[in-house]
Amino acid sequence: MDFIDEVRTRSSRFAERTDHLETEEATKNALILPFLQMMGYSVFDPTEVVPEFTADVGSKKGEKVDYALMQDGKPTTLIECKIYGNNLDEAEISQLTRYFTVTDARFGILTDGVVYRFFSDLDQPNVMDTKPFFEFNMLDFSEAEVEGLKRFTKKSFNLDEILDAARELKYTTEIKKVIAQELESPSDEFVRFIIGRVYEGRATQTIREQFSSFVRHAFVQFINDRISDRLKSALKQEETEEKEAQEVERYSDPEPADELEVIELELEALNVIKAIVRDLVDVRRIELRPASQYCSVLLDDNNRRIFCRLRLRTKSLRLGLLNEKRQTKWERLEDLDDLFKHADSVRAEVSRIETSIGDA
């Protein structure tokens, strides 16, 4: 089961349990421990999860934080639990903050079992930030947020990579909040900035008041235009894929290959593709998505990041090359070794996708 499907399954179970939680222990058992299991941790293995983790903090002895996630005998993440429904904005996290300072942990989590707030020491080394860099709600999440959460699974956990991502998450989240505030009610500073860019006259009080309305309306129109463009692009993509499917049908052989043979070919082809681009991307990001007539090879299980296609379900093997998301042609393959003949084209599209991700 894919991680996002696991999250969705757990989410529906959590929704059924929240009305029956009246204590912190009930919250831990019904929500938090299942959450840690979903993240790939064995909650009954003290080498992975330590409940009531204890560390001496100065003159304070024997204080405990609810859980510590362990790696190589050292804590990586400290978890402070509150009863479900507790206002986390007002929750006391002094224990979590103190423990963060005196242990090797680089992450702290404050949770009520449904909302999980992730903290680190991005502002000052070894001092836990006052604001979380990431927040995940088990009852209300997007696919992008699931991808963010996936970094913290036991299988994917990489300290350096998460810290790099945490810095970006922290500030992009704050930037989005500022943009949302300006969208709702443009500040005087922002209005003056816009006036300075588009108005050549003297910025009187009357002009500033007028531009405040102009800016707000321009924001709304800009967003509506972007949504409209995305919808048009999606419709065009559907039309393109339908034409490509019809093109595949033209090349189809009357006798399809055996299903087991197809699976073996798909696995072998995927390994060849990984070998071609392994110096450009982490090969764990590369996946193969089968369809009725062909399969797509893509990054991050994201349909917007398809970089080639393979037709392996008939005796005539073909490679579909893409250039900036548009398929250019189907190349005939005598065998899968012929994929290496088209390595430059495949690598070019992967590089383009990686550049577009970095620029996003």
Side-chain angles (χ1 to χ4, degrees):
M1 181 184 297
D2 290 341
F3 184 63
I4 190 168
D5 295 325
E6 175 72 9
V7 174
R8 287 169 177 157
T9 299
R10 296 278 183 171
S11 176
S12 62
R13 294 175 185 170
F14 280 25
E16 297 170 355
R17 297 172 182 175
T18 53
D19 290 339
H20 308 283
L21 305 175
E22 298 181 357
T23 66
E24 185 178 305
E25 284 303 311
T27 299
K28 291 178 181 178
N29 291 331
L31 302 179
I32 297 170
L33 290 179
F35 175 86
L36 295 179
Q37 288 177 320
M38 178 188 76
M39 299 296 285
Y41 289 94
S42 177
V43 297
F44 302 113
D45 184 347
T47 66
E48 294 187 15
V49 180
V50 178
E52 297 295 306
F53 181 76
T54 304
D56 293 334
V57 184
S59 60
K60 295 180 178 294
K61 307 294 183 181
E63 283 194 281
K64 296 179 173 61
V65 69
D66 292 296
Y67 295 103
L69 303 183
M70 309 294 289
Q71 187 178 76
D72 299 326
K74 297 180 179 180
T76 62
T77 307
L78 306 177
I79 305 175
E80 181 76 15
C81 306
K82 304 298 179 183
I83 186 173
Y84 168 70
N86 191 288
N87 186 341
L88 296 184
D89 291 329
E90 300 176 358
E92 176 61 48
I93 58 171
S94 58
Q95 278 182 289
L96 189 60
T97 303
R98 290 197 299 270
Y99 273 42
F100 190 93
T101 303
V102 300
T103 68
D104 294 314
R106 295 299 304 275
F107 302 104
I109 299 176
L110 175 66
T111 180
D112 69 345
V114 168
V115 176
Y116 293 79
R117 292 183 175 177
F118 292 75
F119 298 82
S120 190
D121 57 349
L122 304 177
D123 293 334
Q124 185 176 346
N126 207 36
V127 178
M128 196 178 85
D129 300 335
T130 57
K131 293 182 179 180
F133 66 84
F134 177 62
E135 179 173 312
F136 190 84
N137 187 325
M138 281 294 295
L139 302 183
D140 183 15
F141 52 82
S142 66
E143 289 190 15
E145 288 169 335
V146 172
E147 284 301 309
L149 181 66
K150 189 175 181 180
R151 294 177 182 272
F152 285 89
T153 59
K154 178 187 172 185
K155 179 180 178 181
S156 301
F157 191 90
N158 181 293
L159 180 62
D160 292 334
E161 290 181 2
I162 296 177
L163 286 173
D164 288 341
R167 293 184 182 92
E168 181 178 349
L169 280 169
K170 176 182 175 67
Y171 295 110
T172 54
T173 299
E174 293 301 315
I175 291 170
K176 287 193 291 184
K177 288 180 181 178
V178 171
I179 293 173
Q181 291 170 356
E182 296 291 353
L183 175 62
E184 181 67 25
S185 179
S187 65
D188 291 340
E189 294 84 356
F190 187 70
V191 172
R192 282 196 289 268
F193 168 76
I194 295 296
I195 291 174
R197 289 298 185 93
V198 303
Y199 186 71
E200 296 181 357
R202 181 168 172 267
T204 64
Q205 179 64 29
T206 300
I207 292 297
R208 289 198 296 270
E209 291 174 356
Q210 288 178 341
F211 264 81
S212 180
S213 176
F214 295 163
V215 170
R216 187 163 50 249
H217 292 158
F219 260 135
V220 173
Q221 290 176 18
F222 175 77
I223 291 173
N224 287 339
D225 289 345
R226 292 298 295 269
I227 292 173
S228 177
D229 290 343
R230 286 291 183 91
L231 290 174
K232 289 178 182 177
S233 177
L235 290 172
K236 189 174 181 179
Q237 179 70 15
E238 288 181 4
E239 292 175 359
T240 301
E241 291 181 354
E242 184 176 347
K243 290 179 181 179
E244 289 170 357
Q246 292 172 355
E247 183 72 7
V248 172
E249 289 287 353
R250 286 204 308 118
Y251 286 113
S252 294
D253 294 331
E255 294 184 6
D258 178 81
E259 187 66 23
L260 288 177
E261 292 179 6
V262 170
I263 293 173
E264 290 177 0
L265 280 171
E266 288 176 346
L267 293 175
E268 186 178 349
L270 182 61
N271 287 331
V272 174
I273 296 293
K274 287 180 176 180
I276 290 173
V277 301
R278 69 180 309 110
D279 62 325
L280 300 178
V281 295
D282 184 342
V283 295
R284 290 173 295 184
R285 295 171 57 198
I286 301 174
E287 297 186 32
L288 188 146
R289 183 181 294 174
S292 59
Q293 296 295 332
Y294 60 82
C295 55
S296 299
V297 187
L298 64 167
L299 291 174
D300 308 321
D301 196 25
N302 188 325
N303 198 46
R304 297 177 183 274
R305 298 175 185 172
I306 297 172
F307 59 88
C308 70
R309 294 189 174 97
L310 295 164
R311 187 168 72 83
L312 307 175
R313 291 188 169 273
T314 58
K315 299 299 183 182
S316 176
L317 308 181
R318 293 185 181 274
L319 167 68
L321 294 174
L322 276 72
N323 183 9
E324 296 188 0
K325 297 183 181 180
R326 296 179 181 273
Q327 183 160 325
T328 57
K329 55 186 173 180
W330 287 99
E331 296 285 356
R332 184 182 294 276
L333 305 173
E334 293 299 326
D335 53 41
L336 293 182
D337 282 344
D338 279 357
L339 287 170
F340 289 104
K341 296 179 180 178
H342 306 284
D344 289 345
S345 297
V346 173
R347 288 168 59 84
E349 185 63 9
V350 170
S351 296
R352 186 199 66 77
I353 293 173
E354 280 293 272
T355 300
S356 67
I357 294 173
D359 294 339

